Amino acid sequence: MRDVLRSLIDLIDRDDARPVALCRVVGTTGSAPRELGAAMIVTADDAVIGSVSGGCVESALVHTARDVLDTGTAVVEHFGVDDPDDPAPGLTCGGQIEVFVERVEPSAERRAQLTRLATALAADQPIAWATTLTAQPDWYLATETSQPPWRHLDRDVADLLATGRTGLVGVDDCDAERARPDRRPRTFVQTFAPTARLILVGANDFVRALSSLGATLGMRVTVVDARPVFATAERFPDADEVIVGWPDRYLAEQIRDRRVSGTTAVCVMTHDPKFDVPTLRTALAAPTFGFIGALGSRRTVDDRNRRLREAGVDDAQLARLRSPLGLDLGGHTPAEVAVAIAAQLIAERHNASATPLHLGDGPIHHR
């Protein structure tokens, strides 16, 4: 969307502006040719700007765009694997995409919304753009500091923004929305923000389980360990990257290059003081990490805290350390421990109590 945004604004901001059709990839399955949010503009004169598939389905979308411009009714198109016996266009890559086509009016409201989006992107300010996949789409923009109530979906949008994820929220069958104002329409949320990171220090079974769960939660997972025999991509297939190197040096490089932020969590799970202490000392000295935790028993934690103080870590820095790591779920296996740690990451991100819901009262989702 970034590559066509300026063109979209220019097209609807002219004195003689006419509506244009905006086509966006809102769903993918398998080996899709473009990422979620990839966009194409079709003007009333059949001019095409951008691409959603690299050439496979663009011609079909031009015809759809004409209809949408004529009727003003947005539609969702589905494209699957190319079939030589089927006259319908398909994807040669073997994947499937879902494309939303809507008419963008040259109205003051739409110009203001798109300009706000462009301003945030130019300033590198995280922002989420939500669009209801309804016949008459509704737009909503949310930033880290501005998330007003919207269609009972603002919490979902805020959660995607907090983790830098793009995707779908809400439900289908939005015809019922007219009769039920509390309906949560199916909505595409395109987030322009760094993806939440999970840096796992160590190369053991607990790390493997947590790397898989972190990937499921939409985080970019990095496993780092100084031992090449253990730190291999084959042992951690769900991690985005496996780094062979001293963890404290890796963290220092990430901090220096400004690749860590408030959405970055680091979990030290090595059980070895020669790795734990220098790694935690490096992480705790940087105010940029959103979460710092370390696995270990009470005895291990006490011994490690003593070593950290001897290494120069002060009480204020030590107070940021979550150790023992994870919520008290009573688990022992790597998978159970991973769930306990992931639950703590989620709870802290939402500033939630992590108590059983049946023991409380009031709304389940707090604003």
Side-chain angles (χ1 to χ4, degrees):
M1 184 64 209
R2 289 176 184 265
D3 54 346
V4 303
L5 178 58
R6 188 69 259 171
S7 297
L8 179 58
I9 294 174
D10 291 342
L11 284 168
I12 68 170
D13 201 29
R14 304 184 314 196
D15 292 336
D16 60 344
R18 300 163 64 186
V20 299
L22 176 63
C23 314
R24 281 187 287 165
V25 177
V26 299
T28 63
T29 302
S31 180
R34 293 292 305 276
E35 71 283 356
L36 288 173
M40 181 178 85
I41 300 169
V42 180
T43 70
D45 301 324
D46 283 348
V48 176
I49 302 170
S51 170
V52 297
S53 75
C56 303
V57 302
E58 275 73 5
S59 59
L61 283 174
V62 169
H63 291 286
T64 301
R66 291 172 184 162
D67 293 338
V68 170
L69 286 173
D70 288 341
T71 65
T73 301
V75 299
V76 177
E77 294 277 32
H78 297 84
F79 299 97
V81 180
D82 186 38
D83 184 351
D85 297 325
D86 189 342
L91 302 175
T92 57
C93 60
Q96 300 179 19
I97 62 172
E98 189 176 4
V99 181
F100 185 61
V101 186
E102 62 178 309
R103 186 170 75 180
V104 179
E105 302 287 346
S107 64
E109 179 184 16
R110 285 293 187 248
R111 287 196 296 268
Q113 289 171 315
L114 291 171
T115 299
R116 181 186 170 196
L117 176 62
T119 300
L121 296 184
D124 287 327
Q125 177 189 23
I127 190 169
W129 176 19
T131 304
T132 61
L133 304 188
T134 52
Q136 303 299 323
D138 188 15
W139 289 5
Y140 170 79
L141 293 173
T143 64
E144 292 175 321
T145 57
S146 176
Q147 299 165 2
W150 181 72
R151 291 178 169 268
H152 302 275
L153 289 168
D154 46 285
R155 288 281 300 187
D156 301 80
V157 176
D159 186 50
L160 291 177
L161 177 60
T163 54
R165 291 175 293 155
T166 290
L168 294 166
V169 297
V171 296
D172 285 316
D173 188 22
C174 293
D175 289 339
E177 189 180 4
R178 299 184 183 91
R180 289 184 54 188
D182 63 336
R183 189 79 175 176
R184 289 161 40 89
R186 189 168 183 251
T187 297
F188 176 64
V189 183
Q190 186 167 6
T191 297
F192 303 88
T195 302
R197 295 188 64 192
L198 177 60
I199 300 175
L200 301 176
V201 177
N204 52 45
D205 289 343
F206 293 93
V207 170
R208 182 165 58 247
L210 187 54
S211 67
S212 299
L213 194 50
T216 300
L217 294 174
M219 307 178 81
R220 178 172 179 80
V221 179
T222 298
V223 175
V224 55
D225 193 289
R227 302 165 298 175
V229 68
F230 295 109
T232 66
E234 291 75 19
R235 295 190 69 231
F236 303 93
D238 295 320
D240 293 281
E241 55 183 355
V242 179
I243 305 296
V244 178
W246 286 86
D248 59 313
R249 298 172 189 172
Y250 173 77
L251 289 187
E253 292 171 356
Q254 296 295 294
I255 295 166
R256 181 199 63 201
D257 296 340
R258 298 183 179 180
R259 297 191 59 198
V260 299
S261 67
T263 61
T264 302
V266 56
C267 296
V268 177
M269 306 171 70
T270 52
H271 298 291
D272 190 333
K274 71 173 178 287
F275 292 120
D276 291 6
V277 173
T279 302
L280 289 171
R281 181 181 59 197
T282 301
L284 292 170
T288 46
F289 288 98
F291 181 98
I292 302 172
L295 206 61
S297 66
R298 300 288 183 188
R299 177 181 297 180
T300 298
V301 169
D302 290 341
D303 178 68
R304 185 167 52 216
N305 286 349
R306 176 184 58 78
R307 293 172 183 266
L308 286 169
R309 288 191 175 93
E310 291 174 351
V313 176
D314 60 35
D315 289 341
Q317 293 173 332
L318 201 56
R320 298 176 55 211
L321 178 59
R322 301 294 183 259
S323 187
L325 180 59
L327 301 184
D328 182 11
L329 303 183
H332 296 280
T333 68
E336 291 173 336
V337 172
V339 169
I341 296 171
Q344 184 177 17
L345 291 172
I346 295 170
E348 294 220 4
R349 188 175 77 232
H350 294 290
N351 194 28
S353 65
T355 56
L357 291 174
H358 76 276
L359 297 181
D361 54 18
I364 293 177
H365 300 291
H366 298 279
R367 187 170 301 284

